[in-house]
Amino acid sequence: MRLINKLMSKPLNIIFAGTPDFAAQHLQALIDSHHNIVAVYCPPDKPAGRGKKLTACATKLLALEHNLTVEQPLNFKESSDQLTLANYQADVMVVVAYGLLLPEIILKTPRLGCINVHGSILPKWRGAAPIQRAVEAGDKLTGVTIMQMDKGLDTGDMILTATCEISDQDTSASIYEALAKLGPSALLETLSMMATGEYNRIPQINEDATYAAKLDKAEAELNWQLPAHILHKKLRAYIPWPVAQFTYLDQKQVEHRIRVWQASVVQMQHNQVAGTILNVEKSGITVATTENALKLEILQLPGKKALQCQDILNSRAEWFTIGQSINGNTK
């Protein structure tokens, strides 16, 4: 990541809008900076857990911990909500994984407009799941882009981009953590440039854009008809949610959803039907795919915690025998 070293710029009055831990880490960086946070915006509290108790998001909890003013409008359609935001007289609004679309009137309210921290190298992977789609696609590079927001979906001019590599072992969870460290520094550098007025806005090339659709639980079902290297990328992309899985059908015709938390590609020639178990050993269960094989190393049985393959075999060895379908049907 290449950052410009400057003398500390004058403090800006900032409205921050965000929801999950990723956003909270950016808010913490602002709290630790010399800037002035005039308000923090979060979505309304949502029911969570078995008791469906209203629960605050990570960003709200952090804001309250530091005695920051919190606003939680349902949306910004009401003129009263628009006026409330305007009354803060912010220089800029920083948006990080907020989850609400901002109408044009809000985008134009702060003196310097609204900027967004997006988890990709724009214009690639606009949309809701940029980290997961980058891992799934096998991208070797990702990052964060600080952009000036407009009324489009992640279409605004780019101000600063910071990059990091994606290895063949990275998951969406590990890249999430990497970007959560990279983003705050890029954000502070951007604010420093905006405070001095010395910054460029680079228009995105729309023809190069790709869309990162929101993940769906149905995608997590492993399709053994795909090559092993494709399955491996999907498996890594779906950690920590929804987690790649397959359905085992036991002798009583009871279905068991088994999650796969870790696997590796095995380069091998075979003539078995995709989904057939080729080998069973303590280090993993090797399953045939249409190209090479996938070795399942850490599994999670229904209602249990994730375990190494050896521990799974100690209790459920009869589910995984050579020549059997991974879904439980014998050949």
Side-chain angles (χ1 to χ4, degrees):
M1 176 180 175
R2 181 177 179 273
L3 296 179
I4 302 172
N5 293 318
K6 292 176 177 281
L7 293 174
M8 184 175 288
S9 61
K10 66 178 182 180
L12 295 173
N13 290 327
I14 296 172
I15 292 174
F16 184 86
T19 305
D21 180 69
F22 184 79
Q25 292 188 53
H26 288 76
L27 176 59
Q28 184 65 61
L30 294 177
I31 292 170
D32 295 338
S33 75
H34 67 296
H35 295 295
N36 180 33
I37 303 168
V38 296
V40 174
Y41 275 71
C42 305
D45 296 351
K46 295 182 178 180
R50 292 183 179 180
K52 298 300 180 180
K53 181 180 179 181
L54 287 178
T55 303
C57 66
T59 296
K60 178 181 177 180
L61 292 175
L62 179 62
L64 294 177
E65 180 183 336
H66 291 272
N67 298 314
L68 298 173
T69 300
V70 175
E71 301 283 359
Q72 295 180 271
L74 181 62
N75 51 50
F76 288 97
K77 294 181 180 180
E78 298 294 332
S79 58
S80 58
D81 291 328
Q82 298 170 8
L83 180 60
T84 296
L85 188 140
N87 285 338
Y88 284 112
Q89 298 182 321
D91 292 309
V92 65
M93 183 171 179
V94 174
V95 181
V96 186
Y98 185 28
L100 291 179
L101 292 176
L102 301 182
E104 194 167 8
I105 188 172
I106 296 298
L107 297 176
K108 294 181 177 180
T109 296
R111 179 174 65 85
L112 297 172
C114 301
I115 61 172
N116 175 246
V117 181
H118 184 74
S120 79
I121 304 173
L122 290 171
K124 194 169 188 180
W125 302 126
R126 295 172 177 173
I131 295 174
Q132 296 91 332
R133 297 307 179 189
V135 174
E136 183 182 34
D139 292 355
K140 297 302 181 182
L141 196 68
T142 187
V144 293
T145 302
I146 314 295
M147 67 172 176
Q148 190 84 42
M149 297 177 69
D150 61 18
K151 61 182 180 180
L153 178 62
D154 302 326
T155 57
D157 293 347
M158 300 176 291
I159 302 174
L160 187 148
T161 299
T163 63
C164 75
E165 295 182 351
I166 303 177
S167 76
D168 291 338
Q169 302 305 314
D170 273 316
T171 66
S172 291
S174 65
I175 295 299
Y176 178 100
E177 290 302 321
L179 298 190
K181 294 178 181 178
L182 192 64
S185 296
L187 172 61
L188 292 177
E189 176 64 17
T190 300
L191 292 172
S192 177
M193 293 189 295
M194 295 181 77
T196 63
E198 299 177 11
Y199 67 101
N200 295 319
R201 291 173 50 170
I202 303 171
Q204 295 186 43
I205 301 174
N206 291 326
E207 290 76 14
D208 294 340
T210 55
Y211 179 64
K214 184 178 179 180
L215 291 182
D216 187 278
K217 285 185 178 180
E219 296 181 68
E221 187 72 24
L222 289 172
N223 179 2
W224 304 105
Q225 299 299 321
L226 295 173
H229 71 280
I230 298 295
L231 288 174
H232 188 240
K233 286 186 287 191
K234 289 180 176 292
L235 187 150
R236 293 186 293 115
Y238 303 155
I239 293 173
W241 188 92
V243 186
Q245 53 197 272
F246 60 92
T247 302
Y248 178 83
L249 186 65
D250 67 19
Q251 293 181 343
K252 297 180 180 179
Q253 302 301 297
V254 176
E255 293 185 346
H256 304 271
R257 301 285 286 175
I258 301 176
R259 292 179 168 182
V260 183
W261 286 91
Q262 182 177 302
S264 59
V265 176
V266 180
Q267 304 284 345
M268 64 182 300
Q269 297 288 333
H270 65 80
N271 58 2
Q272 297 298 309
V273 175
T276 301
I277 296 176
L278 301 176
N279 192 30
V280 178
E281 54 189 341
K282 292 181 179 179
S283 60
I285 300 162
T286 303
V287 183
T289 68
T290 52
E291 182 182 328
N292 297 311
L294 194 67
K295 187 174 184 178
L296 312 182
E297 297 163 344
I298 297 180
L299 302 176
Q300 183 180 9
L301 302 181
K304 306 294 183 180
K305 65 180 181 179
L307 296 171
Q308 296 283 342
C309 182
Q310 178 178 352
D311 297 318
I312 297 293
L313 293 174
N314 286 340
S315 61
R316 287 287 182 265
E318 72 278 9
W319 285 10
F320 307 104
T321 58
I322 296 175
Q324 177 181 336
S325 168
I326 192 66
N327 293 318
N329 300 315
T330 55
K331 291 178 61 179

